[in-house]
Amino acid sequence: MSGTLYVVATPIGNLEDVTLRAVRVLGEVTVVACEDTRRTRALLTHLGLSTPAVSYHEHNETARAAQLVSRLLDGDSVALVSDAGTPCISDPGYRLVREAAAAGIDVVPVPGASACIAALSASGLATDAFLFAGFLPAKRGARRARLEELAGVRETVVFYEAPHRIGAMLEDLAEAFGPREVAVARELTKVHEETLRGTIAAVAAALAADRRRGEFVVVVEGAKAPDRKAETMPIRDRVAELEAEGVSRMDAVKRVAKERGLPKREVYREIVDDENRSPSRAERG
Ligand code: SAM
């Protein structure tokens, strides 16, 4: 009979967050598949366990998944863990889970900590529906393009971000999303845990003034439902309205183009034509 693949969540900082079930499963399985054997060995030792561990990470995923599936088919049970939090959530594991399920093996989640859910639960932002967007691209151009795609999402959006990119990321976020509420969670469950709440610009300024590093989750308010007025008002007025909210002209044009299903160049043309037609502000007095 085949063994079971357990997908086991581990703490994201505070070791007390390991569940009783996780401890039992980690002690009962034949082998623990983990990202970093040294790190997982330290956790297992802390828990008083001596289960063997093998590495499973993005560089050996394909070969290792095949080996682990073959062991599972032979009757071994395997616990998949990542360095911290829930495996497969911006972490390796997806391929193993997929291949195990395809081979008819039982895949059982053992839930516990995840930075996304922890940050969201204390964010004070709407939690009835949310979009987990993981890490943004590291390169600025690709990051901005992705943020632009997400700017119209109505649900709360959750991002992970590396400490050395948090400043640039919040800058791009403010530009693409406009003046929205954000909750930035730093070092969750650890000694220096904190959640900064406010507008994106205010939180970005607070973080810029405080150079301490840490692990971050950024939770952002979703886009407001487009009001019919915004969709029907003259294009130039809608662009001006967004600019008054702090959105750059380029982003305002992109937003309006998306709202109306028009190409950007058409929105630009409308504004330019309008500007040429109407008297300047000074002339209007
Ligand atoms: N699988 C993990 C989970 O379930 O949360 C996430 C792994 S991902 C590679 C690591 C990222 O998660 C970090 O860069 C950070 O954005 C976020 N993260 C992990 N632990 C955190 C913590 N204690 N506080 C804040 N963010 C954390």
Side-chain angles (χ1 to χ4, degrees):
M1 207 181 122
S2 300
T4 300
L5 173 64
Y6 297 94
V7 184
V8 183
T10 58
I12 55 169
N14 189 326
L15 292 178
E16 286 179 3
D17 289 336
V18 70
T19 69
L20 296 173
R21 184 165 169 233
V23 178
R24 179 177 59 74
V25 168
L26 289 171
E28 284 176 2
V29 291
T30 324
V31 66
V32 178
C34 55
E35 276 186 278
D36 177 344
T37 45
R38 273 193 312 182
R39 206 168 158 150
T40 297
R41 173 64 45 221
L43 174 69
L44 293 173
T45 304
H46 172 83
L47 300 173
L49 304 173
S50 53
T51 315
V54 295
S55 70
Y56 176 88
H57 46 68
E58 53 180 326
H59 305 295
N60 69 3
E61 225 179 303
T62 309
R64 206 48 122 203
Q67 288 165 10
L68 288 165
V69 167
S70 140
R71 285 185 72 165
L72 283 154
L73 288 171
D74 285 346
D76 282 356
S77 52
V78 176
L80 170 68
V81 303
S82 59
D83 280 352
T86 303
C88 307
I89 309 301
S90 287
D91 262 342
Y94 157 82
R95 190 181 297 270
L96 174 58
V97 168
R98 189 174 170 80
E99 289 184 17
I105 291 156
D106 278 346
V107 180
V108 174
V110 180
S114 184
C116 166
I117 300 299
L120 190 62
S121 68
S123 68
L125 296 170
T127 51
D128 51 336
F130 68 93
L131 186 147
F132 174 61
F135 287 98
L136 285 164
K139 295 216 170 95
R140 184 153 247 182
R143 183 165 65 229
R144 287 186 174 181
R146 176 71 179 133
L147 284 170
E148 210 37 64
E149 282 175 3
L150 294 169
V153 168
R154 308 264 187 89
E155 293 79 20
T156 298
V157 187
V158 185
F159 299 97
Y160 283 164
E161 195 47 275
H164 59 282
R165 268 198 294 270
I166 189 77
M169 183 268 190
L170 290 174
E171 212 177 276
D172 291 345
L173 186 68
E175 204 163 297
F177 280 38
R180 294 204 208 158
E181 292 294 306
V182 72
V184 175
R186 167 158 61 184
E187 296 286 270
L188 288 165
T189 78
K190 302 184 194 173
V191 181
H192 298 293
E193 166 178 322
E194 65 175 341
T195 298
L196 299 152
R197 301 179 187 81
T199 61
I200 303 173
V203 170
L207 277 173
D210 167 4
R211 293 264 160 221
R212 278 179 301 149
R213 294 239 155 166
E215 295 198 276
F216 292 95
V217 182
V218 177
V219 185
V220 202
E221 183 185 16
K224 302 239 180 329
D227 58 76
R228 289 193 51 77
K229 196 173 130 253
E231 285 178 337
T232 52
M233 67 180 15
I235 284 181
R236 185 187 174 189
D237 294 351
R238 176 66 180 137
V239 170
E241 185 178 74
L242 289 169
E243 286 180 320
E245 287 173 10
V247 179
S248 71
R249 168 144 310 185
M250 196 171 75
D251 287 325
V253 167
K254 281 190 205 157
R255 187 95 64 90
V256 174
K258 202 177 282 179
E259 278 172 7
R260 313 221 171 177
L262 292 171
K264 278 182 292 184
R265 63 174 186 290
E266 206 166 303
V267 175
Y268 261 121
R269 192 167 343 112
E270 280 275 343
I271 307 171
V272 172
D273 287 354
D274 237 7
E275 279 173 351
N276 290 340
R277 265 199 306 272
S278 25
S280 71
R281 252 176 221 158
E283 283 166 341
R284 272 185 265 154

